[in-house]
Structure formats: C-alpha cells, structure tokens
Amino acid sequence: MALTLEQLNAADSATAVQLLDGLYEHSPWIAEQALAQRPFKSLAHLKYAMVQVLEKAGVQAQLELIRAHPELAGKAMVAKTLTAESTNEQNKAGLTACTPEELAHIQQLNADYNARFGFPFILAVRGPRGTGLPKQEIIATFARRLHNHPDFERAEAIRNIHRIAEIRLNDKFGYEPTLGNDVWDWQEKLAQHSEPGYAEKGQLTVTYLTDAHRACAQRISHWMRDCGFDDIEIDAVGNVVGRYHPAHKDGKYLLTGSHYDTVRNGGKYDGRLGIFVPMACVRELHRQRKRLPFGIEVVGFAEEEGQRYKATFLGSGALIGDFKPEWLEQKDADGITMREAMQHAGLCIDDIPKLQRDAAQYLGFIEVHIEQGPVLNEFDIPLGVVTSINGGVRYVCEMIGTASHAGTTPMNRRRDAALGVAELALYMEERALQDGDSVATIGMLQVPNGSINVVPGKCAFSMDMRAPTDAQRDAMVADVLAKLNEIAQRRGLQYKTELAMQAAAAPSDPALQTLWENAVHALGVPLLRMPSGAGHDAMKLHEVMPQAMLFTRGLNSGISHNPLESTTSDDMQLAVDAFSHVLAQLAVH
C-alpha cells in the first residue's frame, strides 16, 4: 500500500526514517535530517527539504554520497549486487540487457570518467519522464559529460541524484504526475514534425508557415478540440486559438499561451510548454463540467523566433495591432515573400487587422515558459516567478584601425582594431556584473579578410545589452558607449555603431505576479523571483494589458535553443498545478 504524506508527518522519527529508506544510496542521514522540517505541505516540499540538507552538508559529504553510487552497467550490475532500487532503474533503461559491445563501451567510459573526476558517473537513467532513457542517449550523455569542469560535474551528479531520489519517492507514495506526463507526451508528439534537412537528422526545426509548421498548427487545434475548448480556429497569421467560454456570456477572458515555432535545431519545450500547460487545465475543467466566471483563451502563437523572416513576434504582435503591412514583402532565404507564404498556407491576409484584441475584455495575459537558463537548475528549484522581462538593445558595429605587418609593427605603434574590441568586451562583462542582473554580450566578432600575419585593421562586432528595467539598461548602454569612445581615442581608432533593435522592459503586473507567488507557496515549493533575460510573447501583450510569467526548471544547465533542452514531467505537473491555482484565485476575486 502506498505511503501517504499524512502518515509520514505523523510518524515518530525512527519510523519516518524507515519509511524513507532507500531514497539516497546508503545515505539515510539525508532523509533523517530533512524530516526535521515536518510537517510537509507536499511531496515537492519534502523533495526540496532533502536538497537543502545535502547543500548544507558541504563538498566532502556530497562526494561521499556520489561515491556511494554504483557505476552504470558496472561490476556491481554484472555481479548482481546492486540495491533493489538501482537494479530497477538500470533495468528500466535497458542497461541489464547490453550487448557485449555496448557493455565494453560503457565500461571504458566508466574508467575514463573515474580517472578524470575520481567518482562514478551519475545519471537518472529513468529520465525526465520516469520511464527510462534509451541506451544510446545514456551513452551519448556519458561521453558529453566527460568534458565538463570537475566542479560543474560534481554539481551535475548531485542534481541527478536528487532526480533519482524524486523518482524513488514517487514510487514510495504511488504518485504519478499524470497531467505532467500528458504535457510531456504532447510535446514529444508535436516534435515529430520537423523540416526537411533537419528531420532526417533527428533535429527539430519548425519555422513560420512551412509544411511542418502548418502540421503543428493542425495537431494543436485537434488536441484543443479533444480538450473541450468551445471555439478553435487558426487565424489570419497562423495562430492557433482555443476559447473556453466563461460561465456567463458577458464574462471577460484570461489570455494565455506561447509560440509553437522553433529556432533551427532547437528544443521541444521552448514556447510549446506554455501552450500545453493551460490546455491541460482546460481539459480538467471540461472533464469536471466546470465553468469559471471568466473564459480562458489559449493561443499557440505562430511566430516568435524570427527565423524565416526578419520580422518577429508576428503572432502576438497581430493581437495587439502591431502587424506592419510592409512585412508582407520581406523574403526568406529562398526568395519567397511572407505574402506568398501566407497565401500558400490559405491565410486571409485582409483579416489580419481584425485580430487585434480589445484589452478591456481581458483580465490580462499569463505565460508559462521553460527558463532557458541555469538559475533554477543550479538552485534545484522547480519553479520561478518572473519579475520582469528584460529590456534590450542591439548594435551592429565596426572598429577601424590600420592593417599592418605583424612582424615589423612595434607593439606601441599599432592601431589594432580587434584589440580595441577585445578590451571593450572585457569592460562590458565587468559593467554588467556591477548590476547583478544585467547582461551584455558581444556575440559576433569578425576580422574581415584577416590574415595570420597582419595586425587587424577592421573588426566587425555586435553588442547586445539587457536589463530588467529600461533605466538600468540605458545606464549600462551609456557607460559602454562612453567606454567605446574612450578606447577608440586612446588607441587611435575610429568606430561606427548602428542601433539594430531596441525593446522596452516588461515588468510583471504586481497583482498577477502575486497570484503566481501564492500558487508556488501553496505547492510547498520555495519562492524564487527572477528576471527573464530572454524575450517572450508576454512582452508584446504587456504593451496593452497586464502580464506575468512563470518559469519551469530546465535540465542540462537549463540549456535552450538546443536539442539538449529538457525538463521533467514532475516539474511540468507543478506548472499545471500552479496554473490551476491561479485560475482558482481569479475565480474568487
């Protein structure tokens, strides 16, 4: 019979420790110390209590825990001396049925890994869905992580140990993140649609109005129908719109959603998580035959990434009346205009102006999104409440010096354009760090027609600067531009700058942000407030209505715009639960 939280909270200390036996390999002290935080509100509360215990225990205790784990497909597995939990996990991942060649490969990786780090490779082989990773993915992860820095790899091992413990805890409590699994499965199925040239390589690429993009729109619309939405349409820019009506026809709507297009060779969860989380919530309301005082409008935005055409935020921009007719003449890499692509897709261009929403009819806009960064992952916290979407500026620049012979030009006689930019890059790093949550990047840096034996006479470069408020961003930009001028003057250089993009910051609406915070608190998850360094559809809706976002933790250091982008079905479940909690709060306001 499955354990209950009530039983655990009520048990005496010795019994409670016994109930949690086996979560961490040969290390019952972690659960024992975590039990001091009883009573637990939720399993998520208990899980994080154990994270805190290990964090406070220090590096040596962490290393001892890592070393208490068996190697994957190692001697203990061959000798059948694994714990029951480890046997179950390695069996689910197929590691107990390796071919001789696979076993030899894994054992060589084990030897290389131990030689480099001094501890065994740890991977939660039951994976983000809990059903087991494919052997080839395990082997690829093993090989990739061999190149990590030792400190990072120790932290990554601990994160995987906590994931192993999470799955084991779920098993003890008979807990299944059912809705999180559904959200996970929708994303996996949607990722089956990818563009030629990428699909054959197992890569995900879905850009605006390609065949793969249109197939995604159809699939999302069919799932919306299955979930019980009252009205579903693919609108004049390709947005997939589902409306779940309010209890009374004059009720307002809550607007939510995210984008379903991707970057080239991107991840499965960027954007799409924000479509499927509210879809799961609507489906539950429909199953319960429940209506709220307000309606729910979920939008799968057709375009946010700016991959096929220069214009971006086409989907959310159209909803606020910001779709410029001149964009229709932009051409993609094959010379196809946006107008032609829309006509080919059967969209009614003349109807685009009709898509603009009346903000007075909406309670606001909320969006769930994978974090796309390392913060939640490093803190081992599943959810984060967004305080603001950073405002940003981008510049395309050129530093101009004098090209000269690398062997004959003395160091104090050079006008080296690349060194001027290098000095600026270091200053930008230093300046952004002064604010803590500002970021500054030179993402493109090129010496045109450079030669190995020539002092660079020109250097083309970009600057990208972002901060949670426009004032903070503008202060940083002013300092960087002043430093650029000072460097050029001192080094005898000239420069050109062209402002390529400027986007205002989008602070979260305090009331909506509080709803997210209340939801996170109710789930027993620690509250972490954080800015969003990336842009989102929410920043477009912010121009006309209040908005607030919730982040979910990403795996693999929170990497995004990359095939390694991932999150767990447990964290997706928490996002669904948090969204449902926000709906419940709004219903009584």
Side-chain angles (χ1 to χ4, degrees), residues 14 151 265 358 454:
D151 289 343
N265 193 21
D358 176 5
V454 177

Side-chain angles (χ1 to χ4, degrees), residues 478-536:
D479 288 348
V480 168
L481 292 177
K483 186 65 174 180
L484 171 58
N485 185 66
E486 186 271 323
I487 291 170
Q489 294 290 331
R490 173 164 40 82
R491 290 180 172 270
L493 305 169
Q494 295 179 305
Y495 64 89
K496 299 176 183 176
T497 63
E498 178 186 347
L499 181 64
M501 186 278 288
Q502 180 164 327
S508 297
D509 175 72
L512 290 178
Q513 181 180 324
T514 297
L515 297 183
W516 281 128
E517 292 177 2
N518 293 342
V520 168
H521 180 73
L523 294 174
V525 173
L527 176 60
L528 181 69
R529 301 180 182 92
M530 59 189 299
S532 171
H536 300 285

